């Protein structure tokens, strides 16, 4: 099973990915994680990516695609979920080419659809623990004591990443660059739209229903 999970930042991709890989025994390939691993390992690709990031530029599609393709090759039984990739139509087309050369294709694209207003609410309300990385929310997931991490008693912080300006910018980029990827895949009839305005558990049920049907087919 080869799956791409698409959706705006804050749509809950990370949470759903974890649940999908646990239930179906797939490999979770997050472009963010893989990029970090390559940089830490000091690989050739990692070094190239680092030089772009140091100058504040986006890592070019070609480097991202190369990195993801080599990670895909290592997936057992070529079963995986892609998270945070492909992020542009160009990346999606390059990925298809690379898969096709191995006689593979993407079976399934799950598209988490969510309203911008809700994304802003979810993300700007986040509070994180600088010590253990736990994430809370001022309304939906409160710590036992306001502003304090349950695990270690450390004072929670509002990360700059979760400020309204940054969130609005990421949404803008998403609509411009990544939403066209949904249309790209729609030409191949493999896209399933899911209402991600709902609770994470409801979204999971919808996803499992779709995937169960695919596994049985
Ligand atoms: Zn903590």
């Amino acid at each position: 099973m080869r799956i791409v999970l698409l959706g705006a930042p804050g749509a809950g991709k990370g949470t759903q990915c974890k649940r999908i890989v646990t239930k179906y025994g797939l490999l979770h390939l997050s472009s963010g994680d893989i990029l970090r691993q390559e940089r830490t390992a000091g690989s050739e690709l990692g070094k190239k990516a680092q030089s772009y990031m140091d100058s504040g530029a986006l890592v070019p599609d070609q480097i991202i695609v190369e990195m993801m393709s080599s990670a895909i090759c290592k997936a057992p039984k070529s079963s995986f979920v892609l998270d945070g990739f492909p992020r542009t139509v160009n990346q999606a087309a390059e990925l298809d080419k690379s898969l096709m050369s191995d006689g593979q294709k993407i079976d399934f694209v799950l598209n988490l659809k969510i309203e911008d207003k809700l994304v802003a609410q979810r993300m700007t309300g986040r509070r994180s623990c600088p010590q253990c990385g736990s994430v809370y929310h001022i309304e939906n997931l409160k710590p036992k004591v306001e502003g304090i991490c349950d695990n270690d008693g450390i004072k929670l912080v509002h990360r700059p990443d979760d400020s309204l300006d940054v969130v609005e910018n990421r949404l803008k980029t998403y609509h411009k660059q990544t939403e066209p990827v949904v249309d790209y895949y729609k030409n191949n009839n493999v896209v399933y739209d899911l209402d991600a305005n709902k609770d994470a558990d409801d979204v999971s049920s919808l996803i499992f229903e779709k995937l169960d049907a695919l596994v049985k087919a």
Side-chain angles (χ1 to χ4, degrees), residues 109-153:
V109 177
L110 300 170
N111 181 30
L112 300 180
K113 296 183 78 163
I114 186 167
E115 283 171 30
D116 285 6
K117 221 170 48 186
L118 190 55
V119 169
Q121 217 177 69
R122 278 187 188 176
M123 296 185 75
T124 56
R126 278 186 192 169
R127 296 295 180 270
S128 321
C129 173
Q131 177 88 9
C132 69
S134 296
V135 179
Y136 301 86
H137 193 277
I138 49 169
E139 281 158 28
N140 310 332
L141 192 63
K142 294 179 182 172
K144 292 195 188 91
V145 180
E146 196 184 321
I148 303 292
C149 178
D150 291 348
N151 296 332
D152 44 31

